[in-house]
Amino acid sequence: MIQLYFFILLPIIIASISYLFKTRYNKPLILISQLILFVCSVINFIHIKSNSPITSILGNYKAGVGIALKADIISSVFVMLTIFLFTCMIIYNFRKHYMNNLFLFLFLILQGLINGIFLSMDFFNLYVLIEVSTIVVSILIMFKKDSRSIYDGMLYLLINIVAMTFFLIGIGYIYKIFGSLDITIIQDKMIRVTDIKSLILPYSLIITAISLKSAVMPLFSWLPRAHGTHSSPSIVSAILSGLYVKCGVYLFFRIQNMFSPAFDTSTIFLIMGFLTAVVGFIFALSQVDIKLILSYHTISQIGLIIFGLSLNNTYSYWGSIYHIINHAIFKSVLFLTAGIIIEEYETRDIRQIRGVFKRMPFVSIFTFMAILGITGAPFFNGSISKYLIQKGSYSGLMDYGFILINLGTILSFVKYLSMFRGSYDGKKYSPPFNQKIAIAMLGTLCFLGGIMGIELIKFLFNVNLHITLDGYLIKSLLYIVSIILGLFFYRFLYKKIKLFNNIREINLSFNQICLTITIYFSIILTTMLILEKYNYI
C-alpha cells in the first residue's frame, strides 16, 4: 500500500527538482516518474478493491483534527485516470518548443493538486487545493502571454475567487454547526440534525461554488474562455475540459451524499442538469471556432452527468460515473486533434477548414473514434454510459429529455464533421510519432471502453450491471435515427436559423458573471426554503 500523500507530493517534488536543476534529461525523467506514479496508483487501486478504503490522517492527529486523505474505489480510479491522462499529455507535447521547465513545473503541480482534490476529505484542505489549482490553471491559460489569453486567464482567476468565497463562508457555517471540517464525520452527524433549516444557507453557499466549478447553467460563461482561449496549449485545454472540470462534478456528488441524510435536492439538479445539457449544445451549435464548439459541448456533457447523478437510480449513477471517465478520454482526443488541425490550417474557423480526412488521415481516424464515443455510437464507450444513464430514467419524460440531450450532441458533431469533407491534393500530414502514440492510446480506449464497458465497470467499481440485447438494439436504432435527423437538420435547417448568430455574440463580462452567481445563489436558497417549508426536502 502506497501512502496517499505520495500522489500529491511526488508530482510537485519532481516538478520542483526539474525546474531547479535544468538538464536535457528532465523530460525523460519526468516521464519515468509518471510511469512509476501510475504503477503505484494501480497498486493502491487493487488494494482498495480487494480490501477497503484507505484513510490517512496527516500529522498523526485524531480524526477530525488532522487533515484527512481518503481513497475509496471511486477516488482511486480518478487518481489513476489523472495520472494516465497527464502521462499521455506529456508524451503528446514531448517535442513542443514551449514544453520548457516552467511549463512542466506548473503542469505537474496541477497534477498533484488534482490528485489532492480527489483524495482530500477535509473542507478547508479542499478550499486551499482548489484555490491554488485555480492560480496554476490561470497561469497555464496565460502561458503564451498574448493579450487575449491574459484577459481570459485573469477573468477565470477572478471569477473562481469570487465563487470560492461562497465556498469558504459555507464551510465556516458547517464548522459552526458540526465543529469539524471532515466530510466523513459531518456526514455521520448529519442524520442527527434536527433543525434542517440551519443547513440550507451553508448548503446553498457551498453548492453555488461547486456549481460554478462544474459549469452548471447559468454559471458556465467562464469555461469556454478558459478551455478555448486562442493561445492556450492543446494539452492545457484537454486537461481542463477532460479532467479538471470533473473535480467540480466529483465534489458535487460528494457534497450531495454528505447532505443526503438531512435532505434531498436531486429534483432541483435533475432540472439544472437537463437545462445545462440543452443550453450547452445550443451554444456549441452556434460557434464557428472549433475549440469553442468543443468547450461548449463540455458544458452539455457536464449537464448530462449531473442529470444522471440526480436520477437516484443505481444504473444512472454508475453510468454517470463511467461517463466522467469516458468524457475525459474522448474529449482529450478531440482537443489534441483539434490542436493539430489548427496548427496545420492556421485557423480555428470551421467554415475555412475543409478536406481534413484526405489531408490528415491518421488524425481523422482517431477523431472519428472520439466522436463516435461522445455521440454514443454502438460499440463505443459513450454508448455504454449513456445506455446506463437512460436505463435509470424512471419516467417517459426523463427518457425524452435524455433523447433530446443526445440528439443535441449528435447535431453538434455533425457540424464538427463538416470540416473533414472536401478534397485535398497536396501532401498528406502525419503528426510526430509521440503525438501518434498519445492520440492512438486515447482513441483506442474509446472503442475498448465500449466493447468491454460492462466488464470495465465491474472491474473498476465492483458493481454488477446488465445490458439487455433488446434494449441495446433499440438504443442503436435510436442512434441511427438521430444521425439521420442530425444530417437533415444541418443540411436544410441550420443555416436558416438566425438565432444561432445572436447566441454566438453572447459574452458576459466579469460584473455580469458575478451578478449571475448572486442570482443563482439566491434562487437555490429561496427554492430550498420554500421546499423546506412545505416538507418537500
Side-chain angles (χ1 to χ4, degrees):
M1 185 185 74
I2 314 298
Q3 291 295 328
L4 297 182
Y5 57 76
F6 175 81
F7 298 104
I8 303 170
L9 293 179
L10 183 63
I12 296 173
I13 291 170
I14 294 295
S16 302
I17 292 172
S18 66
Y19 183 71
L20 292 173
F21 303 98
K22 300 176 176 65
T23 71
R24 60 178 180 173
Y25 302 110
N26 274 0
K27 290 181 185 179
L29 289 173
I30 287 172
L31 197 53
I32 292 168
S33 71
Q34 287 294 117
L35 296 174
I36 293 171
L37 199 60
F38 182 72
V39 171
C40 291
S41 70
V42 172
I43 292 170
N44 258 21
F45 164 74
I46 293 171
H47 175 84
I48 292 165
K49 178 180 165 66
S50 305
N51 299 281
S52 59
I54 302 169
T55 302
S56 176
I57 310 295
L58 302 186
N60 294 321
Y61 294 99
K62 65 178 182 178
V65 178
I67 294 174
L69 301 177
K70 182 179 180 180
D72 58 14
I73 195 78
I74 294 177
S75 58
S76 62
V77 169
F78 284 176
V79 168
M80 282 196 301
L81 176 67
T82 300
I83 298 167
F84 174 73
L85 286 179
F86 270 84
T87 304
C88 289
M89 299 306 151
I90 291 170
I91 292 171
Y92 176 90
N93 244 38
F94 205 78
R95 298 180 182 179
K96 291 289 185 181
H97 67 277
Y98 60 81
M99 190 78 161
N100 54 30
N101 289 310
L102 177 59
F103 183 87
L104 285 169
F105 173 73
L106 295 167
F107 200 61
L108 292 178
I109 284 178
L110 179 61
Q111 180 188 16
L113 295 169
I114 292 174
N115 286 340
I117 292 170
F118 287 140
L119 294 173
S120 182
M121 295 300 289
D122 179 271
F123 264 123
F124 189 75
N125 195 40
L126 280 171
Y127 170 77
V128 173
L129 288 167
I130 294 170
E131 284 287 64
V132 177
S133 63
T134 298
I135 295 170
V136 173
V137 168
S138 301
I139 298 171
L140 285 170
I141 292 170
M142 298 184 286
F143 194 77
K144 292 186 179 178
K145 299 177 184 177
D146 65 86
S147 57
R148 178 61 185 270
S149 66
I150 290 173
Y151 174 79
D152 290 338
M154 289 302 299
L155 187 70
Y156 171 83
L157 175 65
L158 294 173
I159 289 168
N160 278 269
I161 287 173
V162 170
M164 290 311 295
T165 303
F166 281 75
F167 187 86
L168 184 62
I169 297 170
I171 65 175
Y173 274 104
I174 289 292
Y175 185 77
K176 180 181 178 181
I177 295 169
F178 295 98
S180 175
L181 292 174
D182 189 293
I183 293 174
T184 304
I185 293 173
I186 295 169
Q187 186 166 354
D188 291 339
K189 291 182 176 181
M190 192 70 67
I191 198 168
R192 297 195 292 273
V193 175
T194 55
D195 183 13
I196 301 298
K197 194 173 183 179
S198 66
L199 297 173
I200 290 177
L201 179 58
Y203 173 82
S204 300
L205 288 163
I206 292 170
I207 209 67
T208 296
I210 291 173
S211 295
L212 184 130
K213 296 299 291 186
S214 304
V216 172
M217 201 283 292
L219 308 180
F220 60 77
S221 297
W222 60 270
L223 187 145
R225 299 179 183 184
H227 296 193
T229 191
H230 278 65
S231 60
S232 178
S234 294
I235 65 168
V236 173
S237 297
I239 285 294
L240 293 183
S241 202
L243 184 65
Y244 185 63
V245 72
K246 306 306 190 320
C247 293
V249 179
Y250 174 81
L251 292 175
F252 170 78
F253 68 77
R254 290 297 195 201
I255 296 301
Q256 290 293 83
N257 289 341
M258 189 188 82
F259 280 96
S260 61
F263 48 69
D264 179 14
T265 59
S266 58
T267 302
I268 296 173
F269 285 98
L270 186 66
I271 297 169
M272 296 305 299
F274 173 75
L275 292 175
T276 301
V278 172
V279 171
F281 76 68
I282 290 173
F283 270 83
L285 274 169
S286 305
Q287 306 305 312
V288 295
D289 183 315
I290 61 174
K291 268 198 171 185
L292 289 183
I293 293 172
L294 297 177
S295 298
Y296 275 109
H297 212 278
T298 293
I299 297 166
S300 183
Q301 295 295 291
I302 293 297
L304 174 61
I305 293 167
I306 290 175
F307 177 83
L309 289 170
S310 302
L311 282 169
N312 288 335
N313 179 276
T314 300
Y315 276 87
S316 60
Y317 179 84
W318 290 110
S320 297
I321 298 297
Y322 189 48
H323 200 66
I324 291 173
I325 298 170
N326 291 338
H327 184 264
I329 293 168
F330 47 60
K331 188 51 70 76
S332 294
V333 177
L334 289 168
F335 267 108
L336 295 181
T337 54
I340 294 173
I341 292 168
I342 291 168
E343 287 182 3
E344 185 67 12
Y345 280 84
E346 298 183 344
T347 182
R348 296 159 55 116
D349 193 327
I350 196 169
R351 298 167 297 185
Q352 299 177 22
I353 302 174
R354 287 294 180 270
V356 175
F357 184 79
K358 291 185 177 180
R359 187 169 181 174
M360 305 178 181
F362 179 89
V363 169
S364 300
I365 288 169
F366 288 101
T367 302
F368 290 162
M369 293 177 75
I371 290 173
L372 289 170
I374 198 170
T375 55
F379 308 113
F380 284 82
N381 55 356
S383 68
I384 302 298
S385 51
K386 290 185 176 186
Y387 173 92
L388 295 174
I389 294 171
Q390 187 175 17
K391 189 172 182 178
S393 301
Y394 47 78
S395 72
L397 184 61
M398 295 300 104
D399 269 341
Y400 293 135
F402 176 85
I403 291 168
L404 176 62
I405 293 169
N406 202 49
L407 178 60
T409 302
I410 290 169
L411 292 175
S412 302
F413 283 97
V414 166
K415 176 181 178 178
Y416 193 80
L417 283 170
S418 65
M419 64 183 176
F420 290 85
R421 299 197 303 268
S423 60
Y424 178 73
D425 300 323
K427 184 179 178 181
K428 287 182 170 56
Y429 174 81
S430 181
F433 183 68
N434 59 300
Q435 292 187 352
K436 284 184 176 180
I437 292 173
I439 293 169
M441 282 195 300
L442 292 166
T444 303
L445 285 176
C446 294
F447 179 65
L448 294 178
I451 61 172
M452 299 173 61
I454 293 300
E455 291 78 11
L456 275 172
I457 292 172
K458 183 177 180 180
F459 173 74
L460 292 174
F461 303 113
N462 284 336
V463 177
N464 287 308
L465 303 175
H466 303 284
I467 288 182
T468 60
L469 180 60
D470 58 338
Y472 197 72
L473 288 175
I474 291 171
K475 186 187 180 305
S476 301
L477 180 61
L478 187 61
Y479 178 82
I480 293 169
V481 172
S482 298
I483 289 288
I484 294 169
L485 288 173
L487 291 170
F488 177 84
F489 176 84
Y490 187 73
R491 176 69 178 82
F492 297 105
L493 299 176
Y494 175 74
K495 293 181 181 178
K496 296 179 181 179
I497 301 175
K498 303 301 182 184
L499 178 64
F500 289 130
N501 294 330
N502 297 329
I503 292 173
R504 192 186 309 152
E505 302 301 321
I506 296 175
N507 203 6
L508 299 185
S509 67
F510 173 73
N511 290 338
Q512 289 170 328
I513 295 173
C514 289
L515 178 61
T516 306
I517 296 171
T518 307
I519 293 171
Y520 181 89
F521 164 73
S522 301
I523 291 172
I524 293 291
L525 180 63
T526 305
T527 302
M528 290 196 63
L529 287 171
I530 293 170
L531 293 175
E532 189 274 336
K533 181 178 180 180
Y534 294 101
N535 297 318
Y536 287 124
I537 57 173

